[in-house]
Amino acid sequence: MKDGVGGCLRRCSRPGGGAVTAACQAITVARPLPSSARVCALPPGGRCGFLIIRLLIVRKFPFTGAVLLTRNGSAVSSLVIDIEAHTFHSPDLESVVAEAADFLIQTPEYPLSVSGNFVGVGIYAIYYSGSSGYYKKISALNRVRCRQPIYIGKAVPAGWRTARKSAVNDSYALCNRLREHTRSIEQGKGIRVVDFKCRFMILLGVETDLISAVEARLIRDYMPLWNTLIDGFGNHDPGKGRYNQARSEWDVLHPGRSWAKRLTGISSSRAEIIRKIFARR
C-alpha cells in the first residue's frame, strides 16, 4: 500500500469472502495529511456510493473520511474528519467514576432481603457465600467479608430512558429492585436467599447521571458471573404476547420464576451452562 495522498492498493478481507485487491486512485483530501497516514478504501462493488475510510496516524490519532467512488474506483471527492477535534477527554470524570465505585465497595453489607423501605436510586452489588457447587470459588472469596460480587446492577428513576426523570428524591427504585432480586432467588432452584448479601450506593440530584458509568466501571473491574457469563438474572417478565422468547441461562440453571415458565423459545442446555461456569478460571 502507498502512504499519503495518491493511489493506494491493499488486500482486504470481506465478511464471508476471501481476500480481494482494492485500488483507490486520485484521492483528493480537504487538507494535507501527515506522510505517515495510510489511506484505504473497500472496493466499490461496481456501484457508486460513499465508503468510509480510516486513516491511521503513527501518533495514533485516528481520522475518518468519506470518499465518493465512481464505477471504476476513482475518487471524485473526499471529506476528512479529525476525530481528535471531536473527542471529549476528561480525567476528572474518570476520577469521579473511580471514586464512586470505590465508595460503593466500602458501604455496609446487608442481607439481600432488606427489610423496610428507603428512598433513592443508584447502584448495588450482590454477593453469594452459600454452598452451591456452581459458585464455590465466589463463595470462598466472600466467607469473611464481601469481596467478589456475583451480580452488579442499577436502579434508575422513572423516565430514565426518555430523559424525563421523575423526582429521584422520592423514588423507591433501588429498594424495589433489591426486593425483586430477592423474589427471583427465592423462586430459583438450588440457591437460598439467606446466602446472599448486598451493598448499595444511593445517588441523588445531578449525581444520578453517574449511574450507568459507575455500573459499567464496576462490572469491568469485578466481572460478576451473573453479568458476564450467565445472563438473565436481571430480566423482567416480558409480558403478554412476548412469551415466544427462550428462557435465559439463569432461568435454565435456577428454574422457578413463574413468568419464565411461560417462555417457549429454545434455550441453552443446562449441561453447556454448567460447563461454562467450571471453565472460567
Side-chain angles (χ1 to χ4, degrees):
M1 179 193 298
K2 293 182 181 180
D3 288 340
V5 181
C8 70
L9 184 67
R10 79 159 184 166
R11 295 184 63 80
C12 58
S13 297
R14 290 163 133 183
V20 296
T21 301
C24 168
Q25 299 176 343
I27 294 181
T28 305
V29 294
R31 61 177 178 149
L33 295 173
S35 60
S36 56
R38 294 181 296 175
V39 184
C40 303
L42 295 177
R47 301 179 63 183
C48 295
F50 280 96
L51 299 177
I52 299 301
I53 65 173
R54 181 171 294 276
L55 309 173
L56 182 62
I57 312 305
V58 169
R59 294 194 307 269
K60 296 184 180 180
F61 291 122
F63 289 75
T64 299
V67 179
L68 179 62
L69 298 178
T70 62
R71 285 183 180 275
N72 65 6
S74 63
V76 295
S77 65
S78 65
L79 173 65
V80 177
I81 299 173
D82 183 349
I83 298 301
E84 186 68 16
H86 298 268
T87 304
F88 174 73
H89 300 280
S90 176
D92 291 338
L93 177 61
E94 181 178 355
S95 175
V96 169
V97 170
E99 180 184 3
D102 289 342
F103 177 85
L104 171 63
I105 299 305
Q106 301 303 320
T107 56
E109 305 167 6
Y110 293 95
L112 180 58
S113 54
V114 177
S115 60
N117 291 331
F118 60 89
V119 172
V121 300
I123 305 131
Y124 56 89
I126 295 175
Y127 301 83
Y128 178 74
S129 59
S131 58
S132 170
Y134 302 148
Y135 312 124
K136 184 177 180 180
K137 294 179 182 179
I138 296 173
S139 180
L141 292 171
N142 295 328
R143 286 287 165 77
V144 177
R145 59 183 292 269
C146 293
R147 296 172 54 198
Q148 174 58 46
I150 195 169
Y151 185 78
I152 288 170
K154 64 177 179 288
V156 298
W160 175 269
R161 289 183 176 85
T162 57
R164 296 194 302 268
K165 292 187 288 186
S166 60
V168 296
N169 290 8
D170 298 324
S171 173
Y172 290 87
L174 182 52
C175 178
N176 290 340
R177 190 68 172 135
L178 291 173
R179 286 178 172 174
E180 183 179 0
H181 289 320
T182 298
R183 289 192 295 271
S184 291
I185 291 171
E186 287 174 339
Q187 295 171 18
K189 183 178 179 180
I191 46 179
R192 305 182 308 161
V193 73
V194 295
D195 294 325
F196 289 85
K197 292 182 179 180
C198 67
R199 287 190 171 107
F200 55 86
M201 175 174 64
I202 297 172
L203 296 172
L204 302 175
V206 70
E207 282 81 6
T208 59
D209 292 335
L210 291 171
I211 289 177
S212 292
V214 176
E215 180 198 30
R217 169 66 181 261
L218 287 163
I219 291 173
R220 287 195 303 270
D221 286 351
Y222 290 95
M223 300 292 289
L225 191 74
W226 287 355
N227 289 96
T228 60
L229 192 68
I230 307 302
D231 75 286
F233 174 62
N235 289 1
H236 300 274
D237 186 338
K240 186 177 180 180
R242 300 179 180 178
Y243 291 116
N244 59 341
Q245 303 176 32
R247 285 185 299 155
S248 73
E249 292 179 323
W250 192 90
D251 287 294
V252 172
L253 195 61
H254 301 294
R257 289 196 284 200
S258 57
W259 57 264
K261 296 176 183 178
R262 305 189 191 106
L263 300 176
T264 59
I266 300 175
S267 304
S268 302
S269 73
R270 183 183 180 87
E272 176 61 20
I273 296 169
I274 294 173
R275 186 199 66 78
K276 286 202 310 180
I277 292 175
F278 287 108
R280 172 178 274 198
R281 294 183 177 180

